[in-house]
Amino acid sequence: QRCGRLLAVREKQTVHLSLVDFSALFDATVEFANATDRVCGRQRRQTLRATLLAQAKGFLETLHVSNAGKLNALLDQEQWKQVDVPSPVQAMVNQCVRPNENWRGAGAASMLQEEGAPPAKTISVDSERFFVVGVMVPLVKMLCDYLSCAAQLPALGAEVVQRLLDLIKTFNDRSYQLVLFARAMQSAGLKTITSKHLSLAAQCLSFLDALVP
């Protein structure tokens, strides 16, 4: 109970940790709680477990609110022009399609630091290629972080999936408004909405559908 109270005191700081730091705290606390089973019995550690789970949910919600805010701000500024795709971003997509033990690492942050091939004109999901706009680069990173979060915090798997889908829905709804209803002319200063803008928006949505079917 005392350990649970100690953890609760730092809740405001804990929910704003990086994924790597929070995962380390989560794993260390679970390991400590499991070790006390042999000494005190399972009932004795329920306060600590409940506090840790509550803070994990708070961490996820803080991450999601931050990502949703960033995505909306980026969409407001999007010019709906095709951009080249950096090789680390393609590596993230490949990891989403065929995940492995790297999800227990630093997630998208570590992959962004890797050097690779020159930027490509398209982004690929298996054999399918898509032209994308600038906002897709940070969005892929966000989705990669969610999947890394699910791998490192398996107790939150269902909550992570729900927020990942919420973020994709946000992109779908906002792109519909900005391009099809031409609101990007006000938010981003576009002079008109062309067939190329419509095609790129459709390509981005098709990419997300292929990535997260």
Side-chain angles (χ1 to χ4, degrees):
Q1 290 181 344
R2 291 182 180 179
C3 291
R5 295 192 194 104
L6 180 62
L7 196 63
V9 167
R10 293 190 55 80
E11 180 176 5
K12 291 183 178 179
Q13 292 80 15
T14 300
V15 298
H16 288 92
L17 292 174
S18 68
L19 175 57
V20 175
D21 290 340
F22 186 84
S23 179
L25 173 64
F26 188 92
D27 288 346
T29 306
V30 169
E31 183 179 353
F32 170 78
N34 290 338
T36 62
D37 279 351
R38 296 186 296 271
V39 179
C40 303
R42 184 178 178 84
Q43 187 62 35
R44 294 288 185 177
R45 68 179 177 91
Q46 291 308 298
T47 300
L48 177 59
R49 172 72 73 177
T51 301
L52 181 63
L53 185 58
Q55 290 195 8
K57 291 180 178 180
F59 165 80
L60 177 61
E61 184 61 24
T62 299
L63 175 67
H64 183 62
V65 169
S66 175
N67 282 342
K70 291 176 183 176
L71 179 60
N72 276 303
L74 290 168
L75 283 167
D76 283 338
Q77 301 168 12
E78 180 59 56
Q79 296 294 307
W80 299 96
K81 294 180 179 179
Q82 184 265 329
V83 299
D84 290 348
V85 179
S87 59
V89 175
Q90 182 62 61
M92 285 184 240
V93 171
N94 296 341
Q95 180 74 345
C96 290
V97 175
R98 296 185 179 84
N100 56 41
E101 66 278 2
N102 289 339
W103 286 125
R104 293 293 301 175
S110 63
M111 282 183 264
L112 280 174
Q113 296 172 1
E114 297 178 0
E115 295 184 2
K121 292 294 182 182
T122 58
I123 196 165
S124 302
V125 179
D126 290 330
S127 59
E128 294 186 81
R129 296 181 178 275
F130 306 90
F131 292 99
V132 294
V133 298
V135 70
M136 297 307 296
V137 171
L139 179 56
V140 167
K141 178 185 179 299
M142 293 175 192
L143 299 180
C144 182
D145 280 339
Y146 280 125
L147 294 177
S148 182
C149 186
Q152 298 187 55
L153 305 173
L156 299 181
E159 288 88 347
V160 172
V161 169
Q162 183 59 55
R163 284 159 179 78
L164 183 150
L165 295 176
D166 284 346
L167 202 66
I168 292 176
K169 184 178 185 298
T170 295
F171 178 85
N172 181 65
D173 293 345
R174 290 297 316 281
S175 60
Y176 184 84
Q177 296 167 359
L178 291 167
V179 179
L180 196 60
F181 286 168
R183 293 182 182 174
M185 294 176 65
Q186 289 76 42
S187 65
L190 298 184
K191 293 183 179 180
T192 186
I193 299 296
T194 67
S195 59
K196 187 174 183 179
H197 295 140
L198 292 169
S199 177
L200 282 169
Q203 284 271 293
C204 291
L205 293 172
S206 296
F207 161 69
L208 290 175
D209 184 60
L211 183 64
V212 187

